[in-house]
C-alpha cells in the first residue's frame, strides 16, 4: 500500500528494476493520469491500480506475465488498453467497471478468457459496456462469455500486418 490513496499523484514511472507491483500499491490514486510500466516488470498483483479513475491509456509491456484480480478495476476514465505481456489468462475483474474502455489489444500468448461468474460473479471485462474493438495479436482465444453484453463493435485478428474482422460479437 505504498502509494495507496495518494490524493495528488498524477504521474508514475516504474523502472525495470521493479519486478512485482504489489497489491493495492497505487489503489485509489484518483488523479493518476499517466502510468509508465517499464519492460522488466513481471507481475501486477490484485487491486494494484484499483480505482485510479483518471488513468486514460494503459500499455502492459512484454515482460509482464500476470495481472491480478481487479488490478485495473474501476479505472473509469480508461479508454485504451494494449497488453503486450506474456499473459496466458486474465483474472476475474482485471478491468471490471472500466466504463469508458473502448479498445482492447490482447497478446499472442493469451490462451483463454474465462467467465468467472460462478466463482466471483464477474469476468475480466465485467461492466465494460463501451468496448468497440477487441484486437487479438495471436489466434482468437476462447472467451466463454467474457464479452457478452459488453463489446458493441468488432473482434479483429492480425493477419500479415492487417487487422481483419473475425467474429461478430452478437453471435459469439
Amino acid at each position: 500500500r505504498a502509494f495507496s490513496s495518494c490524493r495528488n499523484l498524477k504521474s508514475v514511472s516504474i523502472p525495470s528494476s521493479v519486478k512485482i507491483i504489489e497489491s493495492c500499491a497505487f489503489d485509489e490514486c484518483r488523479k493518476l493520469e499517466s502510468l509508465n510500466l517499464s519492460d522488466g516488470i513481471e507481475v501486477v498483483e490484485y487491486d494494484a491500480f484499483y480505482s485510479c479513475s483518471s488513468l486514460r491509456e494503459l500499455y502492459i509491456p512484454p515482460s509482464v506475465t500476470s495481472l491480478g484480480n481487479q488490478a485495473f478495476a474501476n479505472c473509469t476514465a480508461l479508454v485504451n488498453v494494449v497488453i503486450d505481456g506474456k499473459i496466458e489468462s486474465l483474472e476475474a475483474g482485471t478491468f471490471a467497471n472500466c466504463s469508458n474502455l473502448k479498445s482492447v489489444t490482447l497478446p499472442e500468448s493469451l490462451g483463454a478468457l474465462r467467465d468467472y461468474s460462478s466463482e466471483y460473479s464477474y469476468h475480466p471485462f465485467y461492466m465494460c459496456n463501451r468496448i468497440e474493438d477487441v484486437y487479438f495479436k495471436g489466434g482468437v482465444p476462447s472467451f466463454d462469455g467474457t464479452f457478452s453484453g459488453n463489446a458493441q463493435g468488432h473482434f479483429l485478428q492480425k493477419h500479415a500486418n492487417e487487422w481483419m474482422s473475425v467474429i461478430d460479437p452478437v453471435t459469439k
Side-chain angles (χ1 to χ4, degrees), residues 73-160:
N74 285 336
C75 293
T76 54
L78 197 58
V79 174
N80 183 37
V81 171
V82 176
I83 303 173
D84 271 344
K86 296 177 183 88
I87 295 165
E88 293 181 10
S89 68
L90 290 175
E91 299 296 324
T94 305
F95 296 100
N97 204 32
C98 291
S99 54
N100 286 299
L101 187 59
K102 291 184 179 178
S103 176
V104 178
T105 302
L106 299 171
E108 191 171 345
S109 58
L110 192 65
L113 292 169
R114 248 181 76 211
D115 183 354
Y116 289 86
S117 59
S118 62
E119 299 168 45
Y120 301 102
S121 76
Y122 47 83
H123 50 72
F125 295 97
Y126 179 74
M127 295 301 292
C128 295
N129 298 325
R130 293 196 174 139
I131 294 176
E132 294 175 359
D133 295 307
V134 179
Y135 299 91
F136 300 100
K137 287 189 173 182
V140 179
S142 69
F143 46 88
D144 198 21
T146 299
F147 294 103
S148 60
N150 286 348
Q152 301 172 21
H154 304 94
F155 291 89
L156 304 153
Q157 183 177 16
K158 197 166 196 174
H159 291 283

